[in-house]
Amino acid sequence: MVIISNGDKLSEGAADYLFRHMNNRKKGQLNIQRSDSSPDNFTGGIIYVEVVPDLAYDYEIKNEKGRLSLFGKDKAVLQWLTYMLIGRLSDAQPMEVTDLPPHYIAFQTEAVRFAFDYREPHLQPNVDLINSGILFTNNVDRDWGLWGHNLHRVFANHPPAAALALINGVREDDQYCFSAPETYQAIRNFVIDQYGRGEADAKNFMIAPNDNDLVCSCAACRKAGNTKQNATPSLMVLLNRLAAEFPKHHFYTTAYRTTMTAPTVKMLENTGVFLSTIELPKNGLLDQQNKEVRNFIRLTQQWKDKTAHVYLWDYISNFDDYLTPFPVMRRVQSQLTFFNEQGVKGMFLNGSGYDYTPFDDVKIYVLSALLINPSLSVDKLVERYYQRFYPITGNILSAYILAMEENVTTRNVDIAIYTPFRQALKSYFNPNKTNTLYRALIESLPRLKGDEKVRVEKLIIALSYAQLQTSYEEAALSNGFFVQEGTYLHLSSKNEPAIALLNQYTRFKDISRYKEEHGMLAHYLKEWESWKKKRTPINLISAVKAIELSSGLPLEDSNILIDNRPGFLSDFNQGWLLSGESMQVECERIDLAKKKVELQLNFLINKKHRMLAPERIEIWEANQLLAQYTESNFHLTDQCASLRERIEVDPNKKIVFKIFKSNKLKNSVIACDEICLF
């Protein structure tokens, strides 16, 4: 086999790259040569490589008898084709491919445009620059000089006053004036000092407001067209000015909050926008009559009229729960086709980033392939990946993940990207199937070696978290979770093996969080350790009905109020009933044999999420006010408000609790974990 090119510098480099990798990976008798021209009387196979910058496609393949020609728009395309070709050749020739993901190109004659120009699944394996190079994905650390809401980085210290937004005549520290010369100059200096003018290595820059609803109302911004809710006009002037000065670099903003409205001016060629899909339903088959879908289509078209680079900021992780398996591949595949039809040219699939999530390696492989060609078979990609990298456990792993994907696809389940574990149990997560996989993986460990062993060990740690979550949600005396001592309960030892396995997360630097916000596993495990030392009184209330006081609507999961489980102080999704309205709790069954009982209530305090102690609590018995308590009756800490009082009740009369939310904050929330009589 001989590898040749047309002799220009870029093509020669691409041919050299292909030769070097093929020659280093060959096994057996395969003879690979590199030449600047086709040798005379050559009877082997010829691979011709050429970089064609003005190619109408991203790549073109011509498969002729004795000759395979590869044409790529740039060097990076041909490097990716190198790995694909080595994988394809390894089907027939012995080659070392254990470090390469399986190929999915047949290398028949075809000319192909990628479905998307910008392709980034933001999961931990893609953070690795070598891996993202092989998968041919974008990478925020490699491709961006400025990413996200990080405009503050362009200012050496604190922004000068003139660069800050003017709000009601006052300079606001948490937002910028995009019309100020000082803002432009700071960005200009940052680009030049850090990245030059882009002749050698062009970068992308995100010029976006801070994540709030503040809009500068200075004279210059108002002249540009700003309103109290719309900062797009002044930002577009700035973006186009930067794009004109640095034609090799690329400048983007976000269609988000104050910049949601599309501009009225045309954007320059080297600018673009990222639209968030946060409001779109997260199921595969989108109903185009749905209000959110219609709004998305309208907004996409408005921006597309002003820029050729409309990219999406999509979401592929459960940010409330990184470690419970989360089906997303088929949903993304189906929506990619829809996005492509709307003229979207790029995708940033926002995931857990630098934090580990189960199955993230196969997800990165599948999603990177789908971003190139959404019509590929998810099942085949998953199965081939597991055959390559999991020779012992691949069959059970692919069967598990594909069954989960099939389940949500068949039912077209809308899985929110902030889904508490108890909601996951209702919508997509099957604890029995996961437990079966968990046990099988643990049993397989003695037979595993190398990378497969390391990957399975990490997966077992993640599934240990899911085991504990399942156990916590199903906590009961009947299943052995609690052990009874007199009128008190304490935690049984049944969870010790899962706790011990989860504690092994410290072996891996990329496993430290179980969710996006305040989700350190160290804090999660500390909650379990503290709980093991507690004795919890058995709640004599065994059935309740909770409703919103204002609307009379029932509150879902009201059983949380009487399940004997203390809520986690570090996580409002763990054991707390949340209500944005004052609520009424009617006790439908109380196992009382005495009149004087102890009353205990706990309320989570989390000011960031507007969770405060109630304004007051009323206890009614047979339509008579039995007792009333206000904040002065609570024992308050930074995290919790507790009420503990001795009251006298009639065992034969119905008891109703009315809990009135705090009026100290607008839209305050009640978070209660237990209404306990004992």
Side-chain angles (χ1 to χ4, degrees):
M1 186 176 291
V2 64
I3 298 170
I4 64 175
S5 74
N6 68 346
D8 71 75
K9 187 174 181 180
L10 285 176
S11 300
E12 279 187 350
D16 290 343
Y17 190 86
L18 175 60
F19 170 74
R20 184 167 64 253
H21 277 270
M22 285 183 61
N23 204 42
N24 290 341
R25 292 171 179 275
K26 72 176 183 180
K27 296 178 180 179
Q29 302 302 310
L30 182 63
N31 185 346
I32 306 172
Q33 302 172 27
R34 170 74 177 90
S35 175
D36 289 331
S37 61
S38 180
D40 294 335
N41 302 318
F42 184 71
T43 58
I46 295 174
I47 301 178
Y48 174 79
V49 178
E50 183 180 349
V51 176
V52 186
D54 59 351
L55 189 66
Y57 306 92
D58 286 293
Y59 70 87
E60 185 174 1
I61 296 172
K62 292 183 179 179
N63 191 333
E64 303 163 302
K65 186 175 182 180
R67 182 184 179 98
L68 181 70
S69 300
L70 307 178
F71 304 92
K73 206 167 192 176
D74 55 39
K75 184 178 177 181
V77 174
L78 287 170
Q79 287 180 351
W80 166 73
L81 280 174
T82 289
Y83 300 120
M84 287 284 124
L85 180 58
I86 290 172
R88 180 70 181 88
L89 291 173
S90 71
D91 293 342
Q93 294 284 344
M95 304 191 81
E96 178 55 57
V97 293
T98 54
D99 62 324
L100 296 180
H103 69 89
Y104 48 83
I105 293 180
F107 285 89
Q108 298 302 310
T109 297
E110 61 177 350
V112 176
R113 291 189 183 93
F114 297 144
F116 299 96
D117 299 332
Y118 188 93
R119 305 176 301 278
E120 181 169 5
H122 191 51
L123 293 171
Q124 196 277 332
N126 195 65
V127 173
D128 182 278
L129 292 176
I130 294 175
N131 200 37
S132 68
I134 293 172
L135 293 172
F136 202 28
T137 54
N138 292 93
N139 180 295
V140 291
D141 295 321
R142 179 188 59 229
D143 300 328
W144 291 82
L146 197 63
W147 171 254
H149 300 284
N150 285 303
L151 193 56
H152 62 88
R153 288 181 51 205
V154 307
F155 301 99
N157 298 302
H158 190 273
L164 298 174
L166 189 69
I167 311 292
N168 298 323
V170 178
R171 294 292 175 181
E172 174 58 57
D173 277 348
D174 200 26
Q175 196 53 271
Y176 305 104
C177 171
F178 297 115
S179 299
E182 290 81 358
T183 302
Y184 173 79
Q185 197 60 43
I187 299 172
R188 179 182 183 276
N189 292 343
F190 175 83
V191 172
I192 292 174
D193 292 345
Q194 300 293 326
Y195 303 100
R197 291 193 167 273
E199 283 87 354
D201 184 19
K203 294 292 183 183
N204 301 320
F205 298 88
M206 181 76 77
I207 312 298
N210 284 344
D211 192 359
N212 57 48
D213 293 321
L214 300 175
V215 178
C216 183
S217 60
C218 73
C221 283
R222 283 188 283 112
K223 183 179 179 181
N226 277 19
T227 67
K228 288 185 177 180
Q229 292 82 33
N230 183 16
T232 299
S234 61
L235 181 56
M236 284 303 109
V237 174
L238 174 62
L239 210 66
N240 276 341
R241 187 179 175 191
L242 289 166
E245 172 143 1
F246 301 101
K248 298 293 184 182
H249 290 308
H250 303 271
F251 297 88
Y252 297 85
T253 191
T254 56
Y256 182 66
R257 300 186 78 157
T258 61
T259 54
M260 184 73 76
T261 303
T264 57
V265 298
K266 199 75 173 176
M267 297 169 63
L268 295 187
E269 174 58 30
N270 57 325
T271 66
V273 64
F274 279 81
L275 275 67
S276 171
T277 66
I278 191 74
E279 299 296 335
L280 270 184
K282 295 298 178 282
N283 51 348
L285 298 177
L286 293 173
D287 178 6
Q288 296 197 26
Q289 300 307 311
N290 175 282
K291 178 182 176 182
E292 286 76 18
V293 177
R294 291 202 316 270
N295 288 342
F296 172 82
I297 293 172
R298 174 185 52 78
L299 187 64
T300 303
Q301 296 308 309
Q302 289 173 350
W303 279 95
K304 201 173 77 168
D305 287 342
K306 301 302 179 183
T307 176
H309 306 288
V310 175
Y311 298 168
L312 296 189
W313 187 307
D314 198 22
Y315 305 86
I316 55 171
S317 289
N318 179 1
F319 298 94
D320 268 342
D321 188 342
Y322 283 161
L323 296 183
T324 299
F326 186 66
V328 74
M329 290 182 287
R330 285 192 182 171
R331 185 267 285 178
V332 169
Q333 180 183 39
S334 181
Q335 291 195 348
L336 285 179
T337 302
F338 166 73
F339 296 148
N340 212 226
E341 292 169 351
Q342 303 307 313
V344 172
K345 298 297 185 183
M347 296 293 301
F348 174 73
L349 302 177
N350 190 25
S352 59
Y354 303 89
D355 294 303
Y356 172 80
T357 55
F359 310 109
D360 58 3
D361 56 341
V362 71
K363 286 181 179 180
I364 281 291
Y365 166 67
V366 172
L367 294 173
S368 67
L370 294 177
L371 287 168
I372 286 173
N373 180 2
S375 69
L376 293 170
S377 166
V378 169
D379 287 24
K380 289 181 180 178
L381 290 169
V382 168
E383 289 165 355
R384 294 198 67 190
Y385 184 87
Y386 279 116
Q387 288 168 5
R388 168 71 53 85
F389 293 110
Y390 295 78
I392 304 297
T393 58
N395 287 339
I396 58 172
L397 287 170
S398 60
Y400 173 84
I401 195 169
L402 289 176
M404 181 180 283
E405 293 279 343
E406 176 66 20
N407 175 42
V408 297
T409 301
T410 302
R411 297 186 293 123
N412 199 33
V413 178
D414 185 351
I415 305 176
I417 58 174
Y418 288 94
T419 299
F421 186 81
R422 64 175 176 264
Q423 188 59 41
L425 284 171
K426 298 174 184 177
S427 60
Y428 73 89
F429 181 70
N430 187 314
N432 294 327
K433 290 183 178 180
T434 305
N435 183 58
T436 299
L437 174 67
Y438 182 64
R439 301 300 170 196
L441 292 176
I442 292 173
E443 291 174 5
S444 74
L445 277 176
R447 296 182 289 133
L448 306 184
K449 57 184 179 180
D451 287 343
E452 182 178 14
K453 183 175 183 180
V454 173
R455 295 181 187 195
V456 169
E457 285 175 338
K458 292 172 74 172
L459 182 55
I460 287 172
I461 289 171
L463 295 181
S464 297
Y465 166 83
Q467 291 290 111
L468 291 173
Q469 288 292 89
T470 301
S471 189
Y472 179 82
E473 290 298 329
E474 297 176 349
L477 185 61
S478 59
N479 68 6
F481 183 88
F482 291 120
V483 175
Q484 183 173 354
E485 290 181 356
T487 59
Y488 285 83
L489 301 172
H490 67 81
L491 196 65
S492 75
S493 60
K494 67 176 286 187
N495 294 300
E496 287 297 331
I499 291 173
L501 283 170
L502 185 57
N503 265 300
Q504 293 185 26
Y505 79 90
T506 55
R507 295 171 49 202
F508 304 99
K509 63 181 181 180
D510 58 340
I511 308 180
S512 61
R513 294 179 182 272
Y514 71 96
K515 65 171 188 168
E516 179 183 43
E517 183 181 350
H518 304 302
M520 302 307 295
L521 277 171
H523 297 160
Y524 177 83
L525 286 162
K526 188 176 179 180
E527 296 272 11
W528 280 91
E529 290 300 323
S530 66
W531 199 9
K532 287 195 295 186
K533 302 171 186 176
K534 292 178 182 176
R535 291 198 317 153
T536 306
I538 299 175
N539 199 341
L540 297 175
I541 306 173
S542 55
V544 295
K545 178 184 178 182
I547 62 171
E548 292 181 351
L549 261 176
S550 58
S551 67
L553 294 174
L555 288 167
E556 192 177 1
D557 299 319
S558 58
N559 190 61
I560 290 173
L561 297 172
I562 54 166
D563 59 11
N564 297 295
R565 294 176 303 157
F568 283 23
L569 294 177
S570 61
D571 188 347
F572 56 78
N573 282 323
Q574 295 288 106
W576 301 92
L577 180 69
L578 307 181
S579 175
E581 301 293 336
S582 298
M583 63 183 186
Q584 175 175 298
V585 182
E586 182 179 309
C587 301
E588 297 186 327
R589 191 167 64 250
I590 305 177
D591 305 318
L592 282 178
K594 54 185 179 179
K595 288 191 174 184
K596 289 187 177 180
V597 292
E598 198 82 22
L599 167 67
Q600 183 173 302
L601 294 95
N602 295 315
F603 298 92
L604 186 66
I605 295 178
N606 184 325
K607 292 182 179 178
K608 179 179 178 181
H609 293 282
R610 307 184 308 281
M611 297 171 189
L612 300 177
E615 178 192 346
R616 73 181 188 278
I617 297 173
E618 297 175 355
I619 305 176
W620 293 75
E621 185 181 75
N623 297 319
Q624 296 292 320
L625 184 63
L626 179 66
Q628 179 173 273
Y629 304 101
T630 62
E631 190 172 320
S632 62
N633 300 108
F634 290 112
H635 173 68
L636 296 171
T637 68
D638 290 340
Q639 294 179 292
C640 190
S642 300
L643 176 67
R644 188 159 183 166
E645 297 284 341
R646 194 157 183 82
I647 61 174
E648 186 170 322
V649 299
D650 187 334
N652 299 311
K653 293 181 179 179
K654 183 176 288 188
I655 296 177
V656 174
F657 293 84
K658 295 183 180 181
I659 304 172
F660 296 87
K661 71 175 189 172
S662 174
N663 56 15
K664 291 182 178 180
L665 282 178
K666 184 179 180 182
N667 299 323
S668 66
V669 175
I670 297 169
C672 185
D673 74 335
E674 197 82 5
I675 298 178
C676 184
L677 294 179
F678 62 97

